[in-house]
Each structure stands twice: as structure tokens, then as C-alpha cells.
Amino acid sequence: MVRRVAVIGAGVGGLASVKCCLDEGLEPTCFERSEDIGGVWRYTDSTDDRRVSVYRSVITNTSKEMSCFSDFPFPEDFPSYLPHSLLLEYFRMYARQFDLLRHIRFKTTALSVRKCPDFATSGQWEVVTETDDVRESHIFDAVMVCTGHYQEPYLPLDSFPGIDTRFKGQYLHSQEYKDMEAFQGKRVLVVGIGNTGGDLSVELSHVAAKVFLSARSNTWVTSRVSDHGFPLDMVSTTRFNHFLEWLLPSALIRRIKFWKLNSWFNHANYGLASTKSSKFKMIINEELPFCLLSGTVVLKPSVKEFTENSAVFEDGTTEENIDVVLFATGYVSPFPFLEESARSLFDNNRSLYKCVFPPQLEKPTLAIIGLVQLTGSIMVGSEMQARWVTGVFAGWNKLPAPSRMMAEVLKRKPPVKSNPSERENLKMSFIGYTDEIAACAGVKPSLLRLLLTDPRLALAVFFGPCTPYQFRLVGRGRWSGARNAILTQWQRTLKPLRTRVVDEDSNSSSSWCWMCLLALPLTLTAGFLLSKYPRLGWGPAQGL
């Protein structure tokens, strides 16, 4: 019987895990090595303690309605995309609302997490912590590891000959970057074109003499601002779109995505991506295309080697007088506190059942929260994992036999990608994954039942954004405010924009609503028939 649960880390996943433990009547103790909550989202100027945090100017890539805790919406006056200060304020509000802080031990480092000698029967763990140079040993019935992706910088110097032997300039990892002041008037090379590499290139272009951005892979660029000015993820992340991706051939879906992205600007003209590529890597950046167009950022291929003051690229070109090389090459997650016998059971999330449980353990009392790459908000994914896991610990949710879990892991295990930037290509569908975990936890909404009992809500759930409130409509942890939160999500999105009101046509949208309402049962029927009779059309195996 699990009662006492150790939670490692007080970031997004840690806060959600503590709250879910309390919801299930468990007794959580959270160990946080820093002095405050927030994890990477708590900005600090210092890099001395090697704690990973965001840079000063960072703005979220997912909107507030798509990123909130499922029973705690953001304040309606918060903007859709948030600076780190507002996001941290929201975390504090969440912690106060559910009285989480009294369960967190700050400035306490988890040194080791080891199986107890009788683990095969008890499933218990010995957790050794250190606070102010004083070590303590604790026994817990279960452990939730909530340290996430951003643990240690990945700096592959061996892949860049000359960088640490011949190059006379400065080089650093993006983890050390805080603001652009130190780069005034310098020629900067940014290596890596993920979201961080794109953001830093744009920001540095305002003060640097020149910024070069080295990209190894095809990369598509999109904007947070979508059709009619709405947040991108609220428009694109819908169950209807997810159904179409399941229904239509993946090649057709890919062509549609390429067409949509190229309708903003032709990526091949900018040297970013080609429609001939089979891979689909996308970053969010509104300003990068203009920086490339204005020449303040220059796109380059992979770096071949470094000389004393220059970078030589794979296409044979050379850029002279490079002052700083900034590596935006991602992070690794080594989990140094886990004993080797437990750590060896998984390689990142590739060997975890549902990206959470090591399937080979004799007892399912170790869970890894937030170690998953999603096409949407990791905050929502982490909370869903925590709800499922605490249900397992409390005995409400059951796991399959270890052999069945291992078979599923082997079946779904993707190709090994040692480079964090390459792992971006392995992101899982946000709706697909959260639905899968929600089904395990017994909280996935039934569209057919909603259609029969609450057509208006069914319409919003299927055609509207897949916001986290959908997973509070049914099952354990059901929230009475979920329905209203779904039906008012667009009002909260527009509220912070209503600082100046202008007259507009008040055309009725009732006809459109009726069309959607009629389309919903047809869509559900088509999905049922295609899943039951795959010869009628394309089945799930051919979807994205």
C-alpha cells in the first residue's frame, strides 16, 4: 500500500505531482534543491549554481488556455503568451490555492534514490537528501521524479574540431545566456536552430555586429499568431484536426502542412526547408524570417571546423572574425541521483511504459514525470501523467503485467537519437498522448456521450481547442467548473486585448454552429466505420 511519496523537483511537474498526491489521499514530500518553486521558469541572473533557467526575454510558445493546470485557469487578464514572470506568478497562485508549499522542502538536494533491500515485496525506496550540509535518509513507498528535460547542457565539442584547441574567441552554451548586453558589437555564431537558437539569433541581431545561424536540418518556421489573430495552438490543436490526421494518408497531411507553412513565406528561398524532406521539424518564431530578409541574421549550414578566429562550414564557405560561438544544442537528462540499477532500466523516455514507468521493476513505484516530447504544452502532459501515476499508487488505476508493458515499449520504441536537437523530430502528438494517458486514468471524455447529453459542449470539445479542462469533465478529479471553462475559453483569450474597443459587425454564427453540429455525428460515424472496417479507407496505422 503506497502512502508516502517522494517528489523530486518543484517545477511544473513537481507542483502537479504534489497536488495529485493530495487529491488521492497520499502523503507527498517534495525535495527542491533551490530556494523557490518554478523550475526552469524561475529566472535568475546567476549561472554559478548550474541551475538551468530561462533567459530574461523568453515568452511561452504555447498559449495560456492550452498550458494551464486542468482545474485552475489562468486569470482572464493575463495575455495569451506569457513572460516568465507572469508564468511564475501563476505557479505561486496555484501553490497557494491548493496549499502545496507546506509539502515542499526547499534548499534540499536529493543525493540518491535506491531500492530498499526488500524492494521486491515492499516496493519501497531509500532517499538520501542534503540540506545545509546535513544528510538525511528517508524511506518512501514511491518516488516521482519531476526534474524534466533540462538538467544538464549538451555541449558536443567533439563534433566541432578546433573549438576548444584552436579557436581564440569565446564559446558558451545557451544555458549561460541571460541577456544580450554582453554581445554588443560582436560577431556571433549561433549553433542550432531549435526554438532557443532561433530566439537568441533574433534577439542578438539587435545589438551584435552580425549574427550567423548554423542549421544542420530542415526547419519549418511558424508564428504564434494564427488565422484571424488567434493563438496558433488554439486554432490548430483540435480534435477535429487530430481526426483528419488520423483519417488521411500521412503523405497528404504532410503536403498540406508544407503548403500552409509556405503560404507565409517560401522556406526554400530562405534556405530553411524543402518540401522534398521526409522529416518535419518546426520552430515558432515570428521575427526570424524578417531578420533573414533584412540580413541581420545570416543562415549557414553545419560547421565543419573552427580556426583561430573563423568558422568553416560544410559547404566550404568561411566566416571570419567570429567573436562568440553560442551553442543552442539542447540538454540531456542523466538522473544522477538514481541508482544505476534503476537508471539502466531506461534511456530517457524510450524504454518507459507510456513514457512514465520503467516496466522491468518488480513493483511500479517509480515514475518519471515530464520526460516526454509533445507537439503541445509539456505542462498539460506532466499533469496528466501525475494524475495517472497517483491513481496507480492509490490503487485506482491498474498497470498491465510487466511482460505486456515491455512488449508495448519494444513495439513503440523509436530510433535512437543521441543528439537532443534530433530528438525534436520524435515529438509525440499532444492530443494522441494526453488522450492515451487520460484513458489509462479513466478521465478521457466520451464525444458520443457528450453529443447525446450536451450537444453545445460536444461541439466545443470536438471543433474547438483541446484545452486541459476537457480532462476534468468525467472520472476521478472531475471539476464542476470544467464545462464553463471550456465554453468561455475564447472570452478569456480575447479579454486582455480589449483595452481599446472598436465597432464591428455582429454577424450571427448560428449557421456555422449548426453545420459543425451536423458534421460531428457524421465524423464520429466515419471514424467508427474506418476503425471497425479498415478496408473502407485508411486506418490508424497510416496516420501521422
Side-chain angles (χ1 to χ4, degrees):
M1 179 65 181
V2 170
R3 294 299 302 174
R4 302 184 66 237
V5 181
V7 178
I8 314 297
V12 175
L15 292 175
S17 295
V18 171
K19 196 262 187 183
C20 291
C21 282
L22 296 174
D23 289 345
E24 294 292 353
L26 305 176
E27 301 170 9
T29 301
C30 180
F31 301 107
E32 169 56 45
R33 67 176 181 175
S34 71
E35 68 275 9
D36 204 353
I37 63 172
V40 297
W41 287 102
R42 185 170 63 82
Y43 172 79
T44 175
D45 288 315
S46 173
T47 59
D48 294 339
D49 59 359
R50 294 183 59 80
R51 189 181 74 84
V52 176
S53 75
V54 295
Y55 40 95
R56 188 193 302 274
S57 62
V58 75
I59 301 288
T60 58
N61 282 336
T62 53
S63 64
K64 66 176 183 179
E65 292 298 314
M66 300 295 290
S67 305
C68 64
F69 295 110
S70 57
D71 56 354
F72 193 73
F74 278 92
E76 64 176 8
D77 59 337
F78 275 32
S80 285
Y81 293 105
L82 301 152
H84 57 79
S85 57
L86 283 182
L87 192 58
L88 184 59
E89 182 181 337
Y90 171 72
F91 294 155
R92 297 195 197 286
M93 295 165 60
Y94 182 75
R96 288 194 299 269
Q97 175 70 23
F98 298 106
D99 196 19
L100 306 182
L101 295 181
R102 66 188 179 93
H103 300 279
I104 304 174
R105 294 183 55 177
F106 294 107
K107 296 185 178 180
T108 301
T109 302
L111 298 179
S112 68
V113 176
R114 299 179 178 276
K115 296 178 183 177
C116 288
D118 62 346
F119 180 84
T121 55
S122 70
Q124 291 183 324
W125 298 84
E126 179 191 16
V127 179
V128 177
T129 62
E130 184 177 73
T131 309
D132 297 329
D133 298 324
V134 177
R135 295 193 176 190
E136 291 183 77
S137 178
H138 320 261
I139 301 298
F140 286 97
D141 299 315
V143 176
M144 300 175 74
V145 178
C146 306
T147 49
H149 283 284
Y150 305 105
Q151 295 183 32
E152 291 186 7
Y154 176 68
L155 194 58
L157 298 183
D158 292 343
S159 301
F160 300 93
I163 185 65
D164 55 351
T165 56
R166 297 192 297 269
F167 185 61
K168 301 300 183 182
Q170 177 189 7
Y171 68 86
L172 68 158
H173 189 273
S174 58
Q175 183 256 341
E176 301 177 65
Y177 179 91
K178 296 301 175 182
D179 55 48
M180 58 186 173
E181 295 174 4
F183 299 85
Q184 183 79 39
K186 296 186 177 181
R187 290 169 61 85
V188 183
L189 169 63
V190 178
V191 177
I193 193 174
N195 282 312
T196 299
D199 284 351
L200 298 189
S201 297
V202 168
E203 180 164 299
L204 290 172
S205 70
H206 297 302
V207 298
K210 199 74 171 180
V211 176
F212 303 95
L213 176 57
S214 172
R216 173 162 48 186
S217 59
N218 282 315
T219 303
W220 297 87
V221 183
T222 190
S223 169
R224 296 175 183 87
V225 184
S226 186
D227 299 338
H228 307 291
F230 291 114
L232 171 68
D233 52 359
M234 293 189 72
V235 173
S236 61
T237 310
T238 69
R239 293 186 178 278
F240 176 68
N241 287 343
H242 182 67
F243 173 77
L244 290 180
E245 291 188 356
W246 173 83
L247 178 66
L248 300 176
S250 58
L252 177 58
I253 290 293
R254 190 164 53 247
R255 289 179 69 88
I256 293 172
K257 288 183 176 181
F258 289 163
W259 171 82
K260 179 69 174 175
L261 290 165
N262 271 335
S263 67
W264 184 24
F265 69 95
N266 188 306
H267 284 64
N269 287 345
Y270 285 65
L272 283 163
S274 167
T275 55
K276 296 180 180 179
S277 173
S278 60
K279 295 181 179 180
F280 188 83
K281 175 185 175 182
M282 188 172 70
I283 66 171
I284 296 176
N285 198 304
E286 296 79 19
E287 298 180 65
L288 182 59
F290 177 73
C291 288
L292 295 172
L293 198 61
S294 63
T296 54
V297 175
V298 176
L299 195 65
K300 302 293 292 186
S302 298
V303 176
K304 181 180 180 181
E305 63 176 336
F306 287 92
T307 64
E308 285 191 0
N309 63 357
S310 63
V312 181
F313 298 92
E314 292 289 353
D315 62 354
T317 59
T318 300
E319 294 296 342
E320 304 285 350
N321 302 317
I322 300 295
D323 299 303
V324 183
V325 179
L326 182 58
F327 287 96
T329 45
Y331 294 83
V332 293
S333 308
F335 303 105
F337 49 84
L338 279 179
E339 68 174 8
E340 178 58 31
S341 64
R343 195 166 64 244
S344 63
L345 296 178
F346 63 95
D347 176 16
N348 282 331
N349 69 0
R350 289 190 294 271
S351 300
L352 296 172
Y353 178 66
K354 309 290 187 188
C355 302
V356 177
F357 286 103
Q360 305 97 320
L361 283 177
E362 302 95 317
K363 298 286 184 179
T365 56
L366 174 66
I368 312 299
I369 304 297
L371 193 69
V372 61
Q373 298 270 13
L374 298 177
T375 56
S377 171
I378 186 60
M379 291 172 56
V380 178
S382 296
E383 186 198 23
M384 184 56 64
Q385 289 176 333
R387 292 178 67 189
W388 175 43
V389 166
T390 52
V392 171
F393 290 166
W396 297 105
N397 302 324
K398 304 297 182 183
L399 294 179
S403 58
R404 285 184 57 195
M405 290 193 288
M406 197 64 219
E408 179 175 328
V409 166
L410 293 175
K411 180 181 178 181
R412 301 176 59 168
K413 193 171 183 179
V416 174
K417 297 286 186 181
S418 59
N419 188 328
S421 63
E422 293 177 349
R423 290 203 296 270
E424 289 290 310
N425 296 323
L426 301 178
K427 283 187 175 182
M428 302 172 70
S429 162
F430 172 77
I431 295 180
Y433 182 76
T434 50
D435 266 358
E436 184 177 353
I437 302 302
C440 293
V443 298
K444 180 184 175 183
S446 168
L447 283 171
L448 181 59
R449 184 172 301 170
L450 284 177
L451 181 62
L452 296 175
T453 59
D454 194 338
R456 182 187 177 196
L457 181 60
L459 185 69
V461 167
F462 188 70
F463 290 103
C466 185
T467 44
Y469 323 118
Q470 295 188 11
F471 302 106
R472 291 284 180 177
L473 291 170
V474 297
R476 290 183 61 78
R478 183 177 180 273
W479 175 43
S480 60
R483 181 183 187 276
N484 183 65
I486 293 171
L487 297 179
T488 57
Q489 56 201 3
W490 289 110
Q491 288 93 310
R492 286 190 301 279
T493 300
L494 295 175
K495 177 65 184 331
L497 299 176
R498 302 302 194 195
T499 54
R500 179 175 180 268
V501 181
V502 295
D503 292 331
E504 61 178 344
D505 293 334
S506 55
N507 293 327
S508 173
S509 60
S510 59
S511 59
W512 167 247
C513 291
W514 278 108
M515 288 175 61
C516 291
L517 192 57
L518 292 172
L520 180 54
L522 295 175
T523 304
L524 292 174
T525 303
F528 171 76
L529 290 175
L530 287 172
S531 61
K532 192 172 182 63
Y533 307 105
R535 290 186 179 181
L536 292 176
W538 297 290
Q542 291 177 270
L544 282 181

